[in-house]
Structures are given as C-alpha cells and as structure tokens.
Amino acid sequence: MFFRLRPCALDELKHTLSFPFVQTVEHGFPNQPSALAYDPKLQLMAIGTKSGAIKVYGAPGVECTGLHKETATVTQLHFFPGQGRILSLLDDNTLHLWEIEQKEQCSHLEEVCSFMLPGRSGIESTSATRVTVLLPKLSCDLLAVGTEGGGVHFLELPSFTLLDRSIFQDEIMQSVPEEYKCGKSLGPVESLQEHPQHPDKILIGYSRGLVVLWDLQIFVVCVFLLQQLESLVWVRSGNSFVSSHSDGGYMVWPVSSSTPCTHEPVTSTIPYGPFPCKAVNKILWRTTESGAPLVLFSGGMPRASYGDRHCLTILQDSQHITLDFTSRVIDFFTIHCIDRDKEFDDPLALVVLLEEELVVIDLQTAGWPTIPSPYLAPLHSSAITCSYHISNVPTKLWDRVISAGQRQCHLQTHTNWPICGGKNLAPSPKQQELLLTGHEDGTVRFWDASGVSLRPLYKLSTANIFQTDCDHNDSLTQAGEEDWPPFRKVGCFDPYSDDPRLGIQKICLCKYSGKLLVAGTAGQVIVLYLCDEKSDHMIDVATVDLLQDREGFTWKGHDRLPPKSSSVPFAPGFQPVVLVQCMPPAAVTAVTLHAEWNLIAFGTSHGFGLFDYHRRLGFHSRCTLHPNDSLAMEGPLSRVKSLKKSLRQSFRRIRKSRVSGKKRVMVSSPSSKVQEANAQLAEQDAEVTPVQRRIEPRSADDSLSGVVRCLCFADTFLRDGTHHGPTMWAGTNSGCVYAYALDVPSQDKFSEQSVEALLGKEIQLMHRAPVVSIAVLDGRGNPLPEPYEVSRDLAKAPDMQGSHSVLIASEEQFKVFMLPRVSAKTKFKLTAHEGCRVRKVALVNFSSVASEDYSENGLVCLTNLGDIHVFSIPALRPQVRYDCIRKEDISGIASCVFTKTGQGFYLISPSEYERFSLSARVITKPLCQLDVDRPHDPSELSKSVGDAEGKSSP
C-alpha cells in the first residue's frame, strides 16, 4: 500500500521544522518561594515555590526544574548530600523523592516516588500525623519525620518504607520529671537535629520547650527543659547545642551523659532586649579558627519599635550587624567546611532566601559585603513597565556598559560565586544580547540575555534629573536612623516608587552610536549619550506643544515633572543631554530614534513630534486628537470610561454584524480555498471550519482615537519613484497613517541647516483599526537595515532599484502597500477566530540549520488569545501557529517582546520572564551535567519504590 502526501502537508512539515516553537528557560527570581535547601557536596541549591515547582541551581548556566503534579506549596526541601536526590514536603502532607537523571548527556530533575504518612490506629484526627519537620540522616538511609501530634517516625530511604520504631509522646513523657508533666502535651515536634559526631543520636525539640537527646540504640539519654522553642542547632563539636525562642533570645546548652536532666543553660542572651522582642525563628552557630563563633539568626527584633522589619543578625565577638531586608526571610544557610576531620566550620558565605530576592553575604571579607549574584536577580526590584531587546551587540558597546556597571558595585565584593556545582555544557553564545527593562521608579536596567542566566550589568536612573521628594525623604530617614540596632540596608528589591510619573514607558537604543532614548509617564523624553567619564552639567530642556494651541481642550491629568535648574552630577554610563517635555504631560506611547540623522520621534495620546537633538530643536509636531476625544485629556490616573457609552456602542456593533452578516457574500482567495481543501482531506468527519467574521468599521469618535501607537524612520521612496530620501511614519489608534518626507542635511552641515518635514501621504485604514506596527521593505521585500549598518559595512545595502513597499499591521489585519503610490499589494485578515486581535508584531530573520548563509525574513505576531503566528513577507502567507500564552494572562501578553533572531520573552509572574524560541538555529536553554554518587543500584531502587508506592497512601 502506498501513501501520497498532499503538497500542502509537505509544506506544513517543512514549516514546522523551520519554525519550531519551544519554551526554553525561565529568567529571573522564582515567584513566591517557600523552601530552601543546599547540597554541600555537589554545591547545589534548591528552591521550592508555592506553585509546587522545584528549581535547582549550581554554577551559572547549571539549572534543573521539576514540577509536582499537585499544585501545592513546597514547605520543606532536603538534599541527600552527593546523591543528586531531593526530598520535598508539600502542604498536603505528602513526601516526594526527586532524582537528577542523565538524559542525552544532560541532567534533568524527575520525580521518583511519593509517600503519605498513614494515620495512627485509634486516633481519628489527621493533624496528629501532619508532618512538621524532616531529618534525612547524613548516611542517607534513614529519614526521621516529626509530626504535629508529637510523634517521630522513621522511613527507610530511598524506598519510603515505614519502620516499626516510631517514638510517641507517651514514651517520651516517661523520662520527663514529674514537676514538668503537669498533664500537658509536649506540642508538635519543632526541630530534629542529628548529632555531628554520633549519628545514632538525634536531638528532638518540642514547641513547648522540651528537648530530648534520643539514642536510636538505647533510647533517652538527656532531657533539657527550655522555654517556647523555635529552632535548634548543634555546635560542631557536639558538646553543646543552641536553641532559639519565642521571646527573642537564644541559649547555649551543654550536653553531658552525666546530667540526664538539665534546667539551666550555659549562656542565655536576648540580643535586642530587655523590651519584648519577636521570636528568633532560626539560628545557626558556626565555629571559626579565629576563636569567636559566628552567630546568625533571623527575627528577634524589638516588637514595638522594629517589629515590622525583616532582619537577619550576624554576631561575632564585638562585630554586630543587622541585615535589613525589604521582604520576608524564608530561610538561610551557610556555606562552610563539612570535612569531619576539620575542627572548625570556618563559614565562607551566608545565603539568604527572601520572599522577593536572594542575597549572599561574604563572611570571609571584612565588613561582610554582599556577593553579586550571576542569576536569580530580582527583575521586579521595581515593577517592570516595559522592555526592549538588542541582538548582536557590538563588542565596544558591550564592554563600555559592563565597565559602567562595575563602577556601580562599590558595596559588593569580587569573591567568586560560592554555589558552583555542576558543569555548564551549553556552547558559548555566538553573539551578545542585551535586554533592557524599564521600571516604575524611573530606572532602566541592562541585563545580559546571551545565555541561560540573566545577569545584571548596569542600572540607569532618571529620577535624579527631576525635582522630586525622594532625596528629601532619604535624608530624613538617614537622620532619624538610630545607631541601635546597627541596621544595614541589604538587597535591591524596592517596590515603592516615589512618584508614579517617573515610570518608564518606552525605550530605544542605537547599539552603534551608544545613544539611548527613554520616555516616561509624564511626557518626558530623554536623550542620553554613553560616556566613560563622570560629568557635572546642566540638561537642556525643550518643550513641545502637541495640542498646537487647539481650543476646547483642557488637560485634567497629572503635572509634568519639574527638571532641576542647576547642574547635576552623573556617574560614568548613560548621561542625559536633552530633556524633551511633551505638553500636555501625558504618557509617551511610542518612540523611535535615528542616530545617523540625529532625530527622534515621540507620540502620546494627543499627537506626535519630531526633534533634532543635535540642534536641540523641535521642528514639527502634529495633533491627532478627534474633536470628540475628551477622554485623552483626563490622563491615566483619573481616567474613567463611561459604561453606558461602551455598552451602547457594543450593542450597535452586534446589530450591524447581524444585519450585514445576512447580506454577506464570501469571496474566497485561492490560498483560503487550498486551506479548506486540505482541511477536508485531513478531517472529513470533523466539524465545519467557522467562516471568518466580518470586520466592522470602528466609529471615528471612539475614545482615545488619537493615541499614537507606532513610529518609524526609513530611507525610501515617498515623493516619486526615482528619488528616495529620509521619511518618518506614524500610526494612530484610529487607523490613520501619516508619512512625512524629511529634508535632512548632510553630516558636515548638521550645525548649519535645520531639518524640515513635509506631509507626503496620509492613509486611513478602512475599518479604523489601531495601527500596531509600520515597516518599510526594500525592492527584494527585506526590512531596511538599521542606522550606521550600511555606512559602516555591517550590512548589505538595501535594494533601491526595485519598488519599495510599506507593511502596515493593524489590530485586525496586515497589509502591504506599494510605494510611492501607496497602492495595495496584498493583505491578510487575522479573523479566523472570534475576537482575535494583534497585540505584538516583529520582523524576524530566521537562519537555516543546514546553512549559515541562508536565512528568511518573517512576520511574527502575538494575538490577544496568546497564540503566535508566523507569516512570510512580503507575501503574507501563513506559516505556523502556536499556543504560547494563556489568553487570560493579559499582563503576560502585554509584556511580550520579540528578538530579531526568532526568540521572545514574556512575564509569567512579576519576577520571571519565560523565554521561547521560534528558530531551529537560535535556542537558548539549559544544558548541564551533574556528577552524582548513588550507592543504590537503579534496579533495586525501582523495585523498592514500587513496594513503597503500594504501601503509601495516595
């Protein structure tokens, strides 16, 4: 029997191989972390989250991710040192065993088995078996499980076999003095700690203050009577242990077999007393060769004065520092010597997992500075408001940005990153990539997006050029700060903005000239140059009136940000040279920069303007407001849309759609007929494909119709078909496109002649759909090169012999017009699904896997349904479609940014970017290898795991 594939099926196979969609890696800080663990042998760190995810990190580029089947909070994580196994406890009271497996020479994290502690016979309450604490023994063959009912159970590892050697409270109470019993319960098991010198001895701490040293061979050894217990930790020698308590203090207790019951500790300290303090949640005691131990604990702050602070204290002899964080402390650990032959811990670093960031402290350097993290940086240190990606960054710009960023890290140490396990197998990136993020506090952050780890490089702040209250508030805070406790602000997470008008809305960077354009919420447009030396200068300010004295409009929104009237000091890096203030001061909605022409263009909800930043001169502006567009005058902070008007317009459109739908005659294009035939061949018994809905024209007086959505510069044919020159294009929310011919003087006459603009074309799209993107294509249908690329021999010159065309993407369709006549050439209506609207558009160059010299340009778009479409250009033939983002994830869709090489980023949480690829050649994903040492044979493990699953509760 022979099978013959349809030609279209072969094309679909080719397209699928050419544009494979894959989600590759998650950048940033895990959302809502809930647990932390560290493997000192493999030098790996694991973080669990409230969504049930486990993320393992080692050296930069070494990452593994696992996700529990149940969407439950990971409450505890524990490594089996050196074995590549992780034990997780969820808030549904289930235990899960994970293993790092090698697949195709790369490491992956996979779940092996799960277990739930069965209820005790005769006890109906399930809370009695709710797990409160886990202790995997260092031998990795036994797991101690403490419960809320006060019992301690033992499981054989890794099979999760429940052993018949549990310890219950009634057994413990037999060894407790009579004066302590008083008929009360011991409470839940709060802590389990293995003796550092005698593995058969376990320290069991109960929440109500009783601590028992239990020998697995001879049972009770010692009993200690404490206060309300929070945590326990052994001193390295095993001759004493330390307890922390709910009153804000900690105690050191001697361990001696000659004293079976101890009431008094060696020392008892409340560091921030004598006033009532909050509980010390966790304490670590690390011995040092210098003599004085290092004491680290979280909490314990004076309840009345600093009870709302998130702090971790470091004490050593006379040194005392209170690390003051801006988010809650989840957990922490130290990286120290684990060799049992050594006498001291000698900690190298302190790793603190906070609710919103990860902080690492260098404990070997004087002053205990922070170590910059190569990954897990908090992208949301201030809320992200926009993003911008630059591919193939020149080495000169890359080095200058890194140099400027290094000068900002004066409070950080240059110690190597201490979590360095595993081996990164990913090849070195062929090109450097930058991801720029704009933030609510007026900062722009530069990230190294070349590989798996998103590394912070440089931070630019725009707040210092305006007169705001932030400097005054900071001085008051510092003046009012007391010397005790000795606070030190640590971390960079700061979600509070001094002024919402500082928020960054748009970014544009010329990678060849080092010129940056940044625009904000209050109509501020800032042009910055990259400088290697610090400076102190005045900033030129220019005001552009976009209303052009139009009568009948009154701005009801926020005021402009007043610029500083004196000179401002600037550190090396991007330094502002001119501030363009749009009036009214509405949020900037679109910007573009042409560094070779020294021109910028910017747009708001009122119009757009052109500015020559070399001569500090605004030479043209246009108001795009409709006479009835009063909503644009209210501003984003006070905008309230009329519900009645919205409902009325919706019902009118529904009625129009029903009436016009009856009279509609379907005119199928040849491509649509082929697609229908192929669909019938593939699924003859499937439902009939729904017909495309009719696109109804939008009302000319719709609210915010004058919003400028996109801007672009292009050297093309606009006046006639023989002479090309500089042009500027603008698209609005009402489907209107303005094309201007620009008279730009040559480089040697920039200072003598001014730029002039003349309106050459004005296009009104039939259905008035908002214009999302405009791009000019050369005679071969390729996008025009960027500024300086041709003059510096970095790209081929565009085809200026054939006819140019302009690709206009609206929310509802793509259309190609021939230039200079602006005659329609081809179009594609993206109306296959009800309510489908274009949200993001980019022109992408897809490189062939087989040959580096061959590549194709394509149009990539993201819709409001979260799916991605790829089209050929200029023919606009559909290539592939993929589901990418959930349609309910509006913020994720709005945050998506495409790269020019076929990759993309979008926010999956306020602190994480999901990276994806549509290119078979350009894929950035973790490729790593971890060398583990497991004593058990895999076949025996699988057999024992099967037995455990048969015995465990579902």
Side-chain angles (χ1 to χ4, degrees):
M1 182 178 294
F2 296 93
F3 296 90
R4 181 169 60 185
L5 289 173
R6 313 185 311 273
C8 187
L10 293 173
D11 291 341
E12 290 173 359
L13 179 61
K14 179 184 72 174
H15 293 155
T16 302
L17 296 175
S18 299
F19 312 102
F21 174 77
V22 56
Q23 293 180 329
T24 55
V25 67
E26 295 175 0
H27 293 303
F29 184 77
N31 187 41
Q32 296 183 314
S34 55
L36 177 69
Y38 179 67
D39 186 337
K41 291 186 177 180
L42 295 181
Q43 295 181 300
L44 298 177
M45 175 180 64
I47 296 177
T49 70
K50 290 185 178 181
S51 62
I54 297 178
K55 297 174 180 287
V56 179
Y57 301 93
V62 177
E63 295 184 15
C64 296
T65 302
L67 186 64
H68 290 88
K69 298 176 182 178
E70 305 82 3
T71 306
T73 300
V74 180
T75 58
Q76 292 186 43
L77 285 176
H78 298 272
F79 273 101
F80 295 179
Q83 294 190 12
R85 288 174 177 158
I86 302 175
L87 181 67
S88 64
L89 171 66
L90 304 185
D91 63 354
D92 63 1
N93 210 40
T94 57
L95 299 174
H96 300 260
L97 181 63
W98 297 77
E99 288 187 353
I100 298 175
E101 300 286 354
Q102 298 294 123
K103 284 188 176 181
E104 298 177 356
Q105 298 182 346
C106 293
S107 297
H108 301 270
L109 187 62
E110 295 184 357
E111 183 176 353
V112 177
C113 63
S114 61
F115 177 85
M116 177 179 283
L117 198 64
R120 186 180 176 187
S121 58
I123 299 179
E124 297 181 359
S125 175
T126 57
S127 63
T129 57
R130 174 164 289 278
V131 179
T132 56
V133 61
L134 299 174
L135 173 64
K137 299 204 59 186
L138 291 177
S139 57
C140 301
D141 59 353
L142 192 67
L143 173 68
V145 181
T147 64
E148 194 170 307
V152 179
H153 307 274
F154 295 92
L155 301 178
E156 186 181 80
L157 293 176
S159 63
F160 278 154
T161 302
L162 182 61
L163 303 179
D164 188 18
R165 54 193 298 186
S166 300
I167 306 171
F168 296 105
Q169 282 200 13
D170 50 3
E171 194 173 354
I172 296 290
M173 293 298 286
Q174 294 176 5
S175 303
V176 175
E178 292 295 331
E179 64 271 15
Y180 184 80
K181 294 180 180 179
C182 300
K184 62 181 181 180
S185 169
L186 299 178
V189 178
E190 196 69 38
S191 181
L192 293 172
Q193 299 292 330
E194 181 179 352
H195 196 289
Q197 304 299 330
H198 304 285
D200 286 335
K201 295 180 180 180
I202 295 178
L203 204 60
I204 306 174
Y206 293 91
S207 65
R208 294 187 179 175
L210 181 74
V211 175
V212 175
L213 182 60
W214 189 272
D215 192 312
L216 298 179
Q217 304 299 326
I218 60 174
F219 308 120
V220 174
V221 176
C222 296
V223 177
F224 305 87
L225 304 180
L226 289 66
Q227 302 173 10
Q228 188 79 20
L229 182 66
E230 293 291 329
S231 71
L232 296 171
V233 64
W234 279 105
V235 177
R236 184 182 182 94
S237 62
N239 296 326
S240 58
F241 68 89
V242 184
S243 61
S244 68
H245 304 277
S246 58
D247 63 350
Y250 66 88
M251 303 177 182
V252 180
W253 298 82
V255 176
S256 174
S257 58
S258 61
T259 309
C261 185
T262 305
H263 294 264
E264 296 297 330
V266 176
T267 59
S268 178
T269 307
I270 302 180
Y272 299 107
F275 299 105
C277 296
K278 299 196 72 175
V280 174
N281 307 112
K282 179 178 178 178
I283 189 167
L284 296 179
W285 185 285
R286 299 292 182 241
T287 57
T288 62
E289 194 171 359
S290 61
L294 196 71
V295 184
L296 312 100
F297 62 87
S298 60
M301 302 306 298
R303 188 178 297 274
S305 303
Y306 306 106
D308 58 342
R309 298 284 187 101
H310 309 290
C311 298
L312 190 148
T313 301
I314 306 178
L315 296 171
Q316 187 177 31
D317 204 5
S318 61
Q319 299 182 72
H320 184 166
I321 289 181
T322 306
L323 303 179
D324 188 10
F325 305 107
T326 54
S327 59
R328 184 170 58 92
V329 177
I330 302 297
D331 201 355
F332 60 96
F333 63 84
T334 59
I335 299 176
H336 58 274
C337 176
I338 60 170
D339 188 351
R340 292 196 173 189
D341 296 332
K342 301 292 184 179
E343 184 179 354
F344 303 102
D345 294 311
D346 286 329
L348 300 174
L350 166 67
V351 180
V352 187
L353 176 65
L354 304 166
E355 201 168 31
E356 304 293 352
E357 61 183 318
L358 183 80
V359 174
V360 180
I361 305 295
D362 183 0
L363 297 177
Q364 291 288 305
T365 304
W368 299 322
T370 59
I371 302 176
S373 174
Y375 47 75
L376 290 178
L379 304 175
H380 64 318
S381 52
S382 176
I384 296 176
T385 51
C386 64
S387 54
Y388 184 82
H389 185 272
I390 306 101
S391 301
N392 198 16
V393 179
T395 304
K396 183 178 180 181
L397 174 65
W398 184 264
D399 294 339
R400 294 176 70 188
V401 169
I402 289 180
S403 176
Q406 289 175 343
R407 299 189 187 188
Q408 295 178 331
C409 303
H410 56 278
L411 296 178
Q412 295 180 336
T413 181
H414 297 290
T415 303
N416 293 331
W417 182 244
I419 304 171
C420 52
K423 183 185 297 184
N424 182 15
L425 302 180
S428 300
K430 295 182 178 180
Q431 62 181 26
Q432 308 292 350
E433 299 181 28
L434 279 175
L435 179 66
L436 277 60
T437 53
H439 297 264
E440 191 178 43
D441 62 353
T443 58
V444 177
R445 298 172 190 263
F446 290 63
W447 307 88
D448 177 6
S450 311
V452 171
S453 301
L454 195 65
R455 184 167 58 98
L457 299 178
Y458 169 73
K459 183 179 78 170
L460 164 70
S461 177
T462 62
N464 58 339
I465 68 175
F466 299 105
Q467 297 178 11
T468 61
D469 297 332
C470 57
D471 297 333
H472 180 64
N473 292 337
D474 289 344
S475 62
L476 289 178
T477 302
Q478 292 174 2
E481 196 76 73
E482 299 179 5
D483 294 335
W484 183 262
F487 287 119
R488 179 202 288 176
K489 290 284 186 182
V490 180
C492 59
F493 176 72
D494 185 11
Y496 307 107
S497 175
D498 296 296
D499 195 325
R501 296 174 296 174
L502 290 170
I504 305 299
Q505 297 296 320
K506 296 294 175 181
I507 303 170
C508 190
L509 173 66
C510 176
K511 61 185 180 182
Y512 300 111
S513 64
K515 295 174 182 177
L516 176 66
L517 181 61
V518 174
T521 304
Q524 69 271 30
V525 181
I526 309 170
V527 181
L528 305 101
Y529 291 178
L530 181 57
C531 301
D532 298 324
E533 301 296 332
K534 62 181 181 180
S535 67
D536 194 328
H537 63 266
M538 290 274 294
I539 301 169
D540 295 330
V541 180
T543 302
V544 177
D545 182 13
L546 297 179
L547 289 182
Q548 300 174 337
D549 299 326
R550 184 174 293 194
E551 297 180 357
F553 290 93
T554 304
W555 173 248
K556 303 175 184 177
H558 49 259
D559 294 331
R560 60 182 287 184
L561 279 165
K564 290 183 178 178
S565 55
S566 58
S567 62
V568 181
F570 298 101
F574 285 94
Q575 300 174 357
V577 293
V578 61
L579 165 65
V580 181
Q581 179 62 56
C582 301
M583 296 301 291
V588 178
T589 56
V591 295
T592 188
L593 163 70
H594 200 295
E596 206 166 3
W597 299 341
N598 292 326
L599 297 179
I600 63 171
F602 46 87
T604 70
S605 56
H606 306 120
F608 57 87
L610 285 162
F611 190 85
D612 179 356
Y613 59 83
H614 182 76
R615 293 170 54 89
R616 312 291 198 267
L617 180 64
F619 59 89
H620 184 81
S621 64
R622 183 184 181 103
C623 181
T624 55
L625 280 178
H626 190 273
N628 297 331
D629 197 359
S630 60
L631 195 60
M633 305 307 295
E634 296 182 4
L637 304 181
S638 61
R639 186 172 298 154
V640 180
K641 192 172 183 179
S642 171
L643 179 60
K644 291 184 179 179
K645 181 178 179 181
S646 177
L647 290 173
R648 191 183 307 118
Q649 291 177 350
S650 299
F651 281 120
R652 284 177 181 173
R653 289 174 182 169
I654 291 174
R655 286 198 295 269
K656 286 181 181 180
S657 177
R658 287 174 178 173
V659 174
S660 59
K662 297 177 182 178
K663 301 178 181 179
R664 184 179 180 191
V665 178
M666 291 295 296
V667 181
S668 300
S669 63
S671 60
S672 64
K673 290 181 178 179
V674 173
Q675 290 177 2
E676 290 180 7
N678 289 334
Q680 291 177 1
L681 284 172
E683 300 181 15
Q684 295 182 359
D685 56 345
E687 295 182 1
V688 179
T689 304
V691 296
Q692 292 184 351
R693 63 181 177 87
R694 182 182 178 86
I695 303 177
E696 295 296 337
R698 304 190 181 196
S699 174
D701 61 348
D702 275 354
S703 300
L704 301 175
S705 61
V707 175
V708 178
R709 295 287 295 270
C710 57
L711 296 161
C712 80
F713 288 110
D715 185 357
T716 187
F717 301 90
L718 188 61
R719 295 173 176 170
D720 55 59
T722 56
H723 301 89
H724 64 87
T727 63
M728 195 280 293
W729 300 72
T732 71
N733 224 28
S734 61
C736 191
V737 178
Y738 303 93
Y740 284 83
L742 306 178
D743 187 5
V744 179
S746 57
Q747 294 282 348
D748 55 342
K749 296 182 179 180
F750 265 135
S751 302
E752 302 174 7
Q753 299 180 6
S754 60
V755 182
E756 297 181 0
L758 177 66
L759 181 63
K761 306 289 182 183
E762 185 173 343
I763 308 169
Q764 178 62 63
L765 299 183
M766 183 180 300
H767 300 102
R768 298 184 180 275
V771 180
V772 179
S773 175
I774 301 173
V776 175
L777 309 177
D778 69 2
R780 298 188 184 92
N782 296 321
L784 298 181
E786 296 182 26
Y788 289 113
E789 283 190 335
V790 175
S791 61
R792 298 183 181 182
D793 297 327
L794 301 172
K796 293 182 180 179
D799 182 5
M800 292 297 184
Q801 303 300 321
S803 299
H804 282 202
S805 57
V806 58
L807 169 61
I808 299 176
S810 73
E811 283 192 357
E812 295 176 343
Q813 65 179 358
F814 310 112
K815 203 165 188 177
V816 176
F817 295 91
M818 299 299 298
L819 294 177
R821 297 181 60 184
V822 194
S823 57
K825 180 181 179 182
T826 183
K827 64 181 178 181
F828 181 85
K829 296 180 180 180
L830 197 65
T831 55
H833 300 285
E834 183 70 26
C836 188
R837 296 285 186 271
V838 177
R839 288 292 177 259
K840 301 285 182 177
V841 172
L843 295 179
V844 174
N845 183 261
F846 294 99
S847 299
S848 171
V849 178
S851 173
E852 295 184 3
D853 300 329
Y854 180 77
S855 64
E856 294 181 4
N857 292 307
L859 173 71
V860 180
C861 85
L862 174 70
T863 74
N864 65 328
L865 299 183
D867 50 4
I868 288 181
H869 300 254
V870 180
F871 300 87
S872 64
I873 58 170
L876 297 180
R877 285 192 293 268
Q879 304 296 298
V880 290
R881 174 200 165 278
Y882 295 105
D883 293 327
C884 179
I885 310 174
R886 294 181 301 106
K887 63 181 179 181
E888 297 84 7
D889 188 2
I890 299 175
S891 62
I893 294 174
S895 65
C896 183
V897 56
F898 293 107
T899 76
K900 292 188 175 181
T901 57
Q903 297 190 86
F905 302 81
Y906 67 92
L907 288 173
I908 56 175
S909 74
S911 60
E912 293 173 290
Y913 272 111
E914 177 76 59
R915 188 170 188 154
F916 62 88
S917 176
L918 290 162
S919 171
R921 188 175 189 88
V922 184
I923 299 177
T924 304
K925 63 180 181 180
L927 294 174
C928 59
Q929 184 175 352
L930 299 170
D931 296 327
V932 299
D933 180 19
R934 297 196 189 109
H936 298 281
D937 183 77
S939 60
E940 295 180 2
L941 174 61
S942 60
K943 180 180 178 181
S944 61
V945 164
D947 296 339
E949 290 179 340
K951 298 178 183 178
S952 63
S953 302

